[in-house]
Amino acid sequence: MSTRMPGRNFLFVPGPTNVPDRVQRAMMVAMEDHRSSKFPELSISVLTDLKKVFKSDSGQIFIFPSSGTGAWEAALTNTLSPGDKVLASRFGQFSHLWIDMAQRLGYDVEVLDVEWGEGVPLERYEQVLRADKRHEIKAVLACQNETATGVTSDIAGVRRLMDDARHPALLYVDAVSSLASIDFRMDEWGVDLAVSGSQKGLMLPAGLGILGVSQKALKAMDGAKSKRCYFDLADMIKANATGYFPYTPSLPMLYGLRESLNMIFEEGLETIFFRHHYLAEGVRAAVLEGWKLKLCAKDPKWYSDTVSAVMVPEGINGGHVIDVAFRRYNLALGAGLAKVAGKLFRIGHLGDLNELMLMGALAGAEMAMLDVGIKVTPGSAVAAASNYWRTHDPVPKKKVSREQQFYASHSTGSIQG
Ligand code: PLP
């Protein structure tokens, strides 16, 4: 039997996402001297332009040759001392892993456990912060988009309650699966440490940990006693000041980042957020109205525009759906992690994608579900999603819709040929 699977693999895990051809081509470069007098042109341009993606004028951006996890660690160790109190909530595998890291690094974490399928519990955060009269809590952690459950939290709300409680703790936000796909406003929301990575909305391979740091957080570095070396921001600040890195950076990744930023600015950040919402709504129509299945997200206010976690019926192993989708249909879906292992599969809908790519994923997931005995109606996902997409604008109203563009370019006013 042939082991070759013809055609493209349909990659619909919520990261790594599809790397656009333009970005792939930009990464096909011969290696260069990262200490040349020309190198800073590239590094300074990406560091400067990333600020626009974080929506920050006053903050500073750092790029580590790591993944998002490295940026988590950099955020904590550069600003905290062992034993410092941290407030965090856990409602999925990624919010859990950041808490686990904070505990292993020796911080005293007050963990608020929340049902998986919900997000950051604003009222409980507020109670805890108001009760902390001596301001012992130094860090407030929030995961903007919990990739394991497809839940988005209200980060503006976290800032509001911290301000209302007049609490001076630093605000740390995990924006790994939201940056450049779901609105994120570092300055406006007073985010002090914004953590992200390259392999999601930035449409690159994994390999860069990206961190936005506010001026307040930069000042906190002086008193922070946690041990740090590779992730020490002080080394990075010194080297970045002239456009260099304290160690060998990944050239292809930086060239890829340059091209992905070009693509982001060509489409426009707000249009990108709009597209992600529009595509996500089509997927949700497929899941809820087409298949008549449930999402892990408990309420529409938690719905994520970058990933949908689809609950499989009792008695069915979600892992089985994923395996059939992969082996039989060349479609990669995201697995259920930890507490929700086997109970769901995830469809990533972030990065460089459109309706018809998602149609492939929906159709493939549907076939795999039918194959393992889930009684969904054949064709129902495509019907529901297409109904949504055909009747909604793919771009914000003030921009010309794709349909209008099509007709404008095809109606010249005179009939030719
Ligand atoms: N935080 C969130 C929300 C994530 O989705 C992930 C990875 O998927 C991480 C953190 C960890 O990032 P990485 O795998 O790049 O280390």
Side-chain angles (χ1 to χ4, degrees):
M1 207 181 93
S2 167
T3 51
R4 190 182 107 77
M5 283 200 106
R8 284 206 163 191
N9 172 245
F10 270 61
L11 183 64
F12 280 87
V13 294
T17 62
N18 286 296
V19 178
D21 294 347
R22 269 176 68 178
V23 173
Q24 287 190 37
R25 282 195 295 272
M27 292 177 60
M28 296 260 281
V29 289
M31 288 307 107
E32 289 171 22
D33 176 11
H34 59 286
R35 302 190 199 283
S36 77
S37 57
K38 183 169 173 286
F39 178 77
E41 278 172 31
L42 172 63
S43 53
I44 290 172
S45 94
V46 293
L47 286 167
T48 307
D49 282 349
L50 272 172
K51 289 175 73 159
K52 298 179 197 154
V53 179
F54 279 81
K55 295 196 178 170
S56 179
D57 286 326
S58 58
Q60 185 162 352
I61 306 294
F62 295 87
I63 301 175
F64 293 99
S66 71
S67 68
T69 303
W72 267 351
E73 182 163 336
L76 296 172
T77 56
N78 279 281
T79 50
L80 296 172
S81 302
D84 273 355
K85 278 205 160 177
V86 173
L87 172 64
S89 47
R90 174 163 48 205
F91 40 80
Q93 179 66 355
F94 296 101
S95 44
H96 162 69
L97 285 174
W98 204 9
I99 288 170
D100 177 59
M101 171 187 275
Q103 289 170 333
R104 285 156 66 180
L105 288 168
Y107 309 121
D108 176 7
V109 189
E110 174 156 2
V111 183
L112 303 183
D113 270 301
V114 175
E115 199 181 344
W116 288 31
E118 298 184 1
V120 175
L122 298 185
E123 299 78 19
R124 289 170 71 192
Y125 267 36
E126 184 157 10
Q127 279 165 10
V128 173
L129 291 174
R130 282 187 188 275
D132 179 35
K133 299 270 183 264
R134 299 219 306 256
H135 295 162
E136 286 176 348
I137 295 171
K138 301 290 176 227
V140 174
L141 271 51
C143 181
Q144 186 185 16
N145 190 72
E146 175 51 82
T147 323
T149 56
V151 160
T152 300
S153 288
D154 176 9
I155 302 303
V158 179
R159 167 44 65 201
R160 218 176 300 121
L161 70 87
M162 289 175 73
D163 288 349
D164 288 350
R166 297 185 189 284
H167 202 291
L170 295 173
L171 174 57
Y172 300 61
V173 176
D174 176 337
V176 173
S177 59
S178 48
L179 189 80
S181 329
I182 295 173
D183 199 5
F184 179 79
R185 307 179 185 185
M186 183 167 162
D187 283 7
E188 190 182 317
W189 298 343
V191 176
D192 293 297
L193 284 305
V195 174
S196 202
S198 49
Q199 76 275 23
K200 313 251 184 196
L202 292 175
M203 308 176 288
L204 289 158
L208 300 179
I210 302 174
L211 181 64
V213 184
S214 73
Q215 291 301 323
K216 182 175 165 191
L218 287 171
K219 287 197 191 84
M221 283 169 55
D222 293 339
K225 302 276 181 297
S226 293
K227 288 221 183 327
R228 48 194 188 260
C229 175
Y230 188 75
F231 288 115
D232 198 331
L233 293 184
D235 296 336
M236 201 58 115
I237 290 169
K238 214 185 299 165
N240 279 177
T242 48
Y244 296 96
F245 283 84
Y247 31 60
T248 320
S250 167
L251 236 323
M253 287 296 284
L254 293 178
Y255 276 112
L257 176 58
R258 181 60 269 162
E259 190 62 15
S260 101
L261 289 167
N262 294 346
M263 291 177 72
I264 287 170
F265 300 139
E266 280 166 31
E267 185 175 357
L269 261 186
E270 304 308 316
T271 309
I272 290 173
F273 303 148
F274 194 94
R275 170 169 59 84
H276 278 77
H277 178 70
Y278 157 85
L279 291 174
E281 285 282 288
V283 172
R284 289 190 281 265
V287 174
L288 302 171
E289 294 158 31
W291 294 332
K292 309 215 180 302
L293 294 175
K294 290 197 167 73
L295 289 165
C296 183
K298 299 269 181 255
D299 186 274
K301 77 171 179 178
W302 303 121
Y303 286 171
S304 163
D305 284 341
T306 59
V307 52
S308 292
V310 183
M311 305 303 295
V312 294
E314 286 283 324
I316 301 276
N317 180 355
H320 199 178
V321 178
I322 294 163
D323 201 44
V324 170
F326 186 66
R327 289 183 180 277
R328 174 79 174 81
Y329 301 113
N330 208 1
L331 164 68
L333 298 167
L337 303 173
K339 236 190 205 181
V340 287
K343 296 189 179 161
L344 57 79
F345 66 84
R346 294 174 296 151
I347 302 174
H349 32 83
L350 73 163
D352 186 46
L353 82 168
N354 59 30
E355 300 94 329
L356 295 194
M357 291 161 81
L358 266 170
M359 285 295 200
L362 291 171
E366 187 175 287
M367 287 193 283
M369 284 198 286
L370 287 163
D371 291 353
V372 305
I374 302 180
K375 292 183 178 42
V376 290
T377 305
S380 58
V382 166
S386 65
N387 190 38
Y388 180 86
W389 288 326
R390 287 181 51 250
T391 54
H392 290 80
D393 268 336
V395 288
K397 271 268 184 291
K398 59 180 176 338
K399 291 212 173 190
V400 180
S401 76
R402 267 187 247 158
E403 199 184 354
Q404 286 168 317
Q405 273 171 356
F406 177 85
Y407 286 117
S409 62
H410 286 74
S411 63
T412 56
S414 65
I415 298 168
Q416 292 167 347

